[in-house]
Amino acid sequence: GTLPAFEAEFAVPIKRGGYSNASPMQVQLAYRCSLVLRDLINPYLLRRQKKDVKEVNRMPGKTEQVLFCRLSPKQRRMYEEFLRSDEVMGVMRGSANLLGAVTTLRKICNHASLVANADGSMHPSLNDDSSSSDEEFYDEDGAIADQSGKLQVLSKILPLWKQQGHKVIIFTQWRKMLDIIERF
């Protein structure tokens, strides 16, 4: 179909249903539209999920540990800055999409470089998952882990697990985060 048809049938209803002041009917319509859209595009998506990774099936049962990680100073500064941003104020007024703001906060909590330029300023489009230069992942001292509380914890626990003979598979929501972990 055409772009106007797509916007009328999917984009606009889904967007309206995502606002915090959306009526129950708008939320339900958005949900139905998103399900239909998902079913239409699923055959064309290549996506690797945990259940598709053969190594997961051969591993012993999952042992899960919940570890609390502090934000790095840079992450904390960015998190607080974003909470004071116009985008968050728009969410509070009901004129901006809550999911986009929550996604940005999740990215900040994973690694500062997911939403920051090399100079430390935030991307104009905070939800962009485009590729970036290697330098963007490093701080002034060249340490990737220093920009992420989660990577700081990983840098301490992975050597211990290796010494104990454990095998680890790391999953993440964003390809760019995998790029960061690869350089870590």
Side-chain angles (χ1 to χ4, degrees):
T2 65
L3 178 59
F6 171 79
E7 288 176 342
E9 292 180 34
F10 296 106
V12 171
I14 291 171
K15 187 175 182 179
R16 284 187 187 143
Y19 291 133
S20 60
N21 63 348
S23 70
M25 184 179 281
Q26 288 173 317
V27 172
Q28 188 175 21
L29 178 62
Y31 179 70
R32 287 182 181 171
C33 288
S34 66
L35 290 178
V36 170
L37 181 61
R38 182 197 63 194
D39 292 343
L40 287 171
I41 65 173
N42 247 357
Y44 305 100
L45 294 179
L46 293 176
R47 185 171 178 190
R48 194 169 178 190
Q49 298 178 337
K50 290 179 190 178
K51 65 181 174 122
D52 300 328
V53 178
K54 290 183 173 107
E55 288 81 19
V56 172
N57 295 329
R58 290 187 299 207
M59 293 180 77
K62 176 174 77 171
T63 302
E64 192 170 330
Q65 294 179 351
V66 178
L67 303 174
F68 292 93
C69 308
R70 293 190 183 278
L71 296 176
S72 71
K74 183 175 183 176
Q75 285 175 295
R76 185 174 185 87
R77 186 175 61 254
M78 290 174 68
Y79 195 94
E80 290 172 353
E81 179 183 317
F82 185 71
L83 288 178
R84 292 186 299 270
S85 72
D86 291 338
E87 186 173 344
V88 172
M89 292 304 145
V91 170
M92 301 301 280
R93 288 189 304 271
S95 61
N97 192 326
L98 175 62
L99 183 58
V102 170
T103 299
T104 298
L105 291 172
R106 288 181 59 220
K107 285 183 175 187
I108 291 170
C109 289
N110 275 284
H111 197 280
S113 293
L114 292 177
V115 294
N117 294 314
D119 64 1
S121 63
M122 289 204 188
H123 289 304
S125 172
L126 295 174
N127 295 319
D128 183 20
D129 195 26
S130 61
S131 59
S132 55
S133 65
D134 291 351
E135 297 84 37
E136 183 175 325
F137 303 136
Y138 297 89
D139 64 7
E140 305 82 45
D141 301 324
I144 294 174
D146 290 347
Q147 294 186 41
S148 169
K150 289 182 179 184
L151 288 186
Q152 290 171 5
V153 170
L154 261 181
S155 70
K156 293 177 180 147
I157 204 163
L158 283 178
L160 175 66
W161 286 345
K162 184 176 181 180
Q163 182 184 14
Q164 294 172 346
H166 294 291
K167 294 183 179 179
V168 177
I169 297 178
I170 298 174
F171 292 92
T172 181
Q173 296 291 312
W174 296 285
R175 186 185 69 236
K176 191 172 175 183
M177 188 64 191
L178 287 176
D179 293 340
I180 292 168
I181 291 171
E182 182 179 43
R183 286 164 183 80
F184 163 68

